[in-house]
Amino acid sequence: MGVGTQKRLETPPLKRSMSDVQAILTRAQRLGLRLQVEGERIAIAPARLCPPELLATIREHKPEVMSLLEARAYHLPPDCVPWLHIARQILAGEFDGADSSTVQSLTIGLRNIGHPLCRRALEWLKGRGQSGGPAKL
């Protein structure tokens, strides 16, 4: 580098914080959009008002956006939002083979969250503990 020039340092990308996901939803609301979880999709209405860059951002952070939308729909506090994602992971089998300590920690985290996804994951964990394998749902 020559005198008077500066090298710009690149910082590694960070995971989106919950406030960033809230900012995505706030922007959508300001544009007059309604976002709603429908199964494994996010419905956006009216779709014609959604700018392409916002749509790309929503797609990029779909799991976080879905969890926050679901938490809001069930009037859950923000600290419960990550547990919705964990419940999806449990039901997808990502915790198959977890040791008893991990299962116990997951059970403690999920047991007071009144969302159907968390209830299903909790039932799976309980069934796993009784039979040693996945629960029959």
Side-chain angles (χ1 to χ4, degrees), residues 19 30 59:
S19 62
R30 286 185 182 146
R59 283 181 175 145

Side-chain angles (χ1 to χ4, degrees), residues 65-123:
V65 172
M66 285 183 74
S67 293
L68 186 55
L69 288 170
E70 288 180 333
R72 286 181 177 180
Y74 281 87
H75 307 290
L76 297 175
D79 62 337
C80 291
V81 173
W83 286 102
L84 296 176
H85 178 68
I86 291 168
R88 279 191 190 87
Q89 289 178 304
I90 291 167
L91 295 170
E94 292 183 35
F95 285 93
D96 290 359
D99 61 35
S100 62
S101 176
T102 300
V103 171
Q104 184 178 17
S105 295
L106 292 168
T107 300
I108 290 168
L110 290 167
R111 68 181 172 200
N112 292 321
I113 302 175
H115 187 279
L117 198 59
C118 293
R119 295 281 161 231
R120 284 186 21 227
L122 198 56
E123 288 302 314

Side-chain angles (χ1 to χ4, degrees), residues 1-130:
M1 272 192 297
V3 177
T5 61
Q6 295 179 344
K7 182 178 179 184
R8 186 173 183 179
L9 297 176
E10 297 295 323
T11 56
L14 301 174
K15 285 188 171 183
R16 281 212 182 256
S17 69
M18 191 52 61
S19 62
D20 291 337
V21 176
Q22 289 171 338
I24 292 168
L25 297 183
T26 298
R27 178 158 182 239
Q29 185 178 15
R30 286 185 182 146
L31 291 170
L33 301 171
R34 290 181 316 279
L35 277 63
Q36 180 177 328
V37 175
E38 293 181 354
E40 292 301 314
R41 297 181 40 225
I42 299 173
I44 302 172
R48 63 180 165 66
L49 296 180
C50 188
E53 73 278 357
L54 179 57
L55 183 58
T57 301
I58 292 169
R59 283 181 175 145
E60 182 181 349
H61 304 287
K62 181 180 173 182
E64 298 96 336
V65 172
M66 285 183 74
S67 293
L68 186 55
L69 288 170
E70 288 180 333
R72 286 181 177 180
Y74 281 87
H75 307 290
L76 297 175
D79 62 337
C80 291
V81 173
W83 286 102
L84 296 176
H85 178 68
I86 291 168
R88 279 191 190 87
Q89 289 178 304
I90 291 167
L91 295 170
E94 292 183 35
F95 285 93
D96 290 359
D99 61 35
S100 62
S101 176
T102 300
V103 171
Q104 184 178 17
S105 295
L106 292 168
T107 300
I108 290 168
L110 290 167
R111 68 181 172 200
N112 292 321
I113 302 175
H115 187 279
L117 198 59
C118 293
R119 295 281 161 231
R120 284 186 21 227
L122 198 56
E123 288 302 314
W124 185 93
L125 291 171
K126 287 179 185 176
R128 177 193 180 275
Q130 293 169 0

